[in-house]
Amino acid sequence: MPTHATPVPRHLAIIMDGNGRWAQKRHRPRIIGHRAGAQAVKRCVEFCLQQGIEALTLFAFSSENWNRPAEEVGGLMKLFLGALEREVDELHRLGARLRFIGERSRFDPAILARMDAAERLTAANVRLHLNIAASYGGRQDIAAAARSLAEDVAAGRLLPAQVDEAALGARIALADLPAPDLFIRTGGELRISNFLLWQLAYAELWFTDTLWPDVDGALLQHALDDYAGRERRFGLTSAQVRPAQPGSPA
Ligand code: IPE
Ligand code: IPE
Ligand code: MG
């Protein structure tokens, strides 16, 4: 009999990859794949609400994705604006708190205004922290935290000797949430692609060839089941992290 309760991750972080290939397989333009991907986001949010997951962070658009062809970037921005217009009220009703991480200044004012409004509307919700990484890069995130530390040091608010993991960690995106426990990447690539570099230090990694638009609750459950069987040691030995077995030597 297992001696520990099946753990559900508190914080799930996902690289939603494979939209373009999903469309290409159907001989359709890439934007069709992104639209189908938006439907998969809804299934994923529903799954997290059902499972009692506290925080879901979705990589929607990377700082590097700005360099895609203008037509694709334009299509994605239109899709993003449409999703903000259509989905925020329902997410609010469901108790989701929406937050956007990434370089906001690069978005159009219309999108920016919707992002701000969504954050304000849902700020008091506690059922699910739903974080959308958009125009996000992990290196940029760390650089911004370093800049904030430098500003505090220059202003005399912080001593150089006080620059440590805790001080930087407090200035990184989503510092108020537990770090992601489980990282999922769909679409078959085995890389982090500049997602939450700092925050993923001890996340359990799970990869699948399934393309993001094909994701459903059953696949996510599979990831959670695998996660439940992992032993997270955080540098310790197995004996240190395992609860003592009845009858085993102390
Ligand atoms: C992920 O799907 C969505 C974004 C990066 C915006 P892709 O568009 O990267 O799809 P593939 O990897 O080309 O199939
Ligand atoms: C990562 O996917 C970014 C998002 C899913 C938003 P990419 O498709 O941009 O990553 P690479 O280029 O394959 O590393
Ligand atoms: Mg991709």
Side-chain angles (χ1 to χ4, degrees):
M1 225 177 91
T3 51
H4 54 251
T6 307
V8 170
R10 292 183 67 187
H11 187 170
L12 174 61
I14 307 184
I15 297 187
M16 311 183 288
D17 197 21
N19 294 350
R21 280 164 284 164
W22 187 91
Q24 272 156 4
K25 266 173 50 182
R26 287 161 178 77
H27 308 287
R28 306 294 309 277
R30 292 176 60 86
I31 194 66
I32 300 294
H34 294 311
R35 262 185 228 149
Q39 294 305 311
V41 170
K42 288 208 214 177
R43 293 193 291 275
C44 180
V45 168
E46 203 175 294
F47 175 82
C48 289
L49 288 165
Q50 280 165 6
Q51 295 295 319
I53 289 170
E54 292 168 48
L56 171 65
T57 302
L58 297 173
F59 205 3
F61 191 80
S62 74
S63 25
E64 290 75 24
N65 290 150
W66 288 111
N67 299 321
R68 290 193 177 189
E71 189 192 349
E72 179 162 350
V73 172
L76 280 165
M77 290 304 132
K78 234 174 107 179
L79 190 66
F80 189 28
L81 182 60
L84 285 166
E85 287 167 354
R86 279 190 311 273
E87 307 297 343
V88 169
D89 285 342
E90 172 69 1
L91 287 166
H92 179 47
R93 198 185 61 74
L94 292 169
R97 176 180 176 183
L98 263 159
R99 257 193 286 181
F100 301 93
I101 59 169
E103 262 192 296
R104 286 186 192 222
S105 54
R106 298 187 71 174
F107 288 106
D108 275 358
I111 294 183
L112 254 177
R114 286 277 177 182
M115 286 161 79
D116 289 344
E119 287 185 340
R120 276 198 308 274
L121 175 72
T122 64
N125 292 343
V126 292
R127 201 166 157 217
L128 174 69
H129 288 272
L130 176 55
N131 312 304
I132 310 293
S135 186
Y136 177 86
R139 288 177 172 174
Q140 191 277 328
D141 191 359
I142 294 169
R147 194 182 320 120
S148 153
L149 288 169
E151 282 165 1
D152 282 357
V153 169
R157 289 188 292 265
L158 196 74
L159 293 169
Q162 292 172 314
V163 174
D164 57 10
E165 285 185 29
L168 198 151
R171 288 162 173 82
I172 206 94
L174 311 177
D176 59 318
L177 297 177
D181 303 291
L182 175 62
F183 160 96
I184 295 176
R185 182 172 186 146
T186 64
E189 310 296 354
L190 306 180
R191 53 178 174 255
I192 304 274
S193 297
N194 202 15
F195 194 27
L196 304 162
L197 298 178
W198 175 280
Q199 298 87 334
L200 290 173
Y202 263 109
E204 295 296 324
L205 308 180
W206 197 84
F207 296 91
T208 175
D209 288 336
T210 301
L211 304 173
W212 177 253
D214 289 327
V215 163
D216 58 13
L219 182 99
L220 295 169
Q221 187 58 57
H222 185 187
L224 257 59
D225 291 346
D226 277 357
Y227 170 82
R230 303 270 182 101
E231 182 177 74
R232 303 186 75 191
R233 289 192 288 277
F234 299 99
L236 304 183
T237 67
S238 195
Q240 281 178 295
V241 296
R242 250 192 241 153
Q245 308 280 321
S248 64

